[in-house]
Amino acid sequence: MEKIKKIAVMTSGGDSPGMNAAIRSVVRACAYYRTECMGIYRGYQGLIEGDLVPFTARSVNNIINKGGTILKSARSKDFRTKEGRLKAYENLKEHNVDALVVIGGDGSFTGGVVFNKEFSFPIIGIPGTIDNDISGTTHTIGYDTALNTAVEAIDKIRDTASSHNRLFFVEVMGRDAGFIALNAGVGAGAEEILIPEENLGVERMLESLKKSRRTGKSSSIVVVSEGDKTGKNVFELADYVEANLPEYEVRVSVLGHMQRGGSPTCFDRVLASRLGVKAVELLLDNQTNLMVGLQNNKIVATDLEKAIKGENSIDMELLRVSDIMTT
């Protein structure tokens, strides 16, 4: 492999707090190692359309505290085609880019793996998604911030629940993974937590709520991951409980995309900074098709395909703790 002289960085898929910190880290690591850097706007679609801009250390001033991504993000149907990927490759070569850092989730990484196989183009992935559903890292960028956002919102909802003796169903993000629901639920003291990984069933939830009522609880919080496998969405769940437990006045709150926004926590800023530096150093060491991640508080590299295909398992010990805490 030839010496890497210019690296491009992009964000793709759903945005997450801390992506800007990761962009900043990649750009400044390039400056430190005297390697040119370019930013690609709007992910793979921007790459196909040639939306590349030179970035220097000063290009990323004052962005470490900002949510979202200054490079924007977009879905790209064109990149799913051979013609689209060829156009993307030609644009990289036209700008003399030698390697690519992709900040995103499994969809973004899947595109990177295909691109690497077709054109032998060096790629390193940085996991940026609030869902924390990437194998090879205990934390993805944005997960910690999303957790804190969810806990803060649930705390505020509990104030209203207590004041009016209500039962609130609070839906958090996590279509395929219940990391946010489980951790935020435990952190906010939820009475029940429903996640995709564990189909606890509505009858068990009803029994638990009845028990809570008998022990003197006049208000309750049920945290529901949007991918919960009970077979009912959060509004259907609320209607079912209200029909079977008429003593409860039930309300629903869907936190939605507010979990993706906001200033990143210190943890996410530091994690993004560490991952960005490692991504650049791996490329300069002629390593490719890897994802950088956090394991045992150390930055490690995982095969990109393994990161996509593997499963970041739910913490069964925390699940056990949550059962005890709802007593």
Side-chain angles (χ1 to χ4, degrees), residues 32-87:
Y32 178 84
Y33 287 109
R34 293 180 171 79
T35 302
E36 291 184 75
C37 188
M38 298 196 83
I40 302 169
Y41 285 91
R42 296 177 297 110
Y44 289 120
Q45 191 60 35
L47 181 54
I48 291 171
E49 295 173 10
D51 201 356
L52 288 79
V53 176
F55 268 40
T56 67
R58 300 289 76 82
S59 301
V60 290
N61 282 350
N62 304 318
I63 68 168
I64 194 171
N65 60 315
K66 298 184 187 308
T69 163
I70 62 166
L71 288 177
K72 311 295 183 185
S73 186
R75 308 290 180 185
S76 178
K77 292 183 179 178
D78 295 334
F79 196 76
R80 296 176 183 230
T81 67
K82 176 79 174 181
E83 295 75 20
R85 293 190 295 273
L86 177 59
K87 181 62 177 173

Side-chain angles (χ1 to χ4, degrees), residues 1 113 152 158 161 182 260 301:
M1 186 186 290
V113 167
E152 183 180 357
R158 186 179 289 282
L182 179 57
R260 278 192 185 172

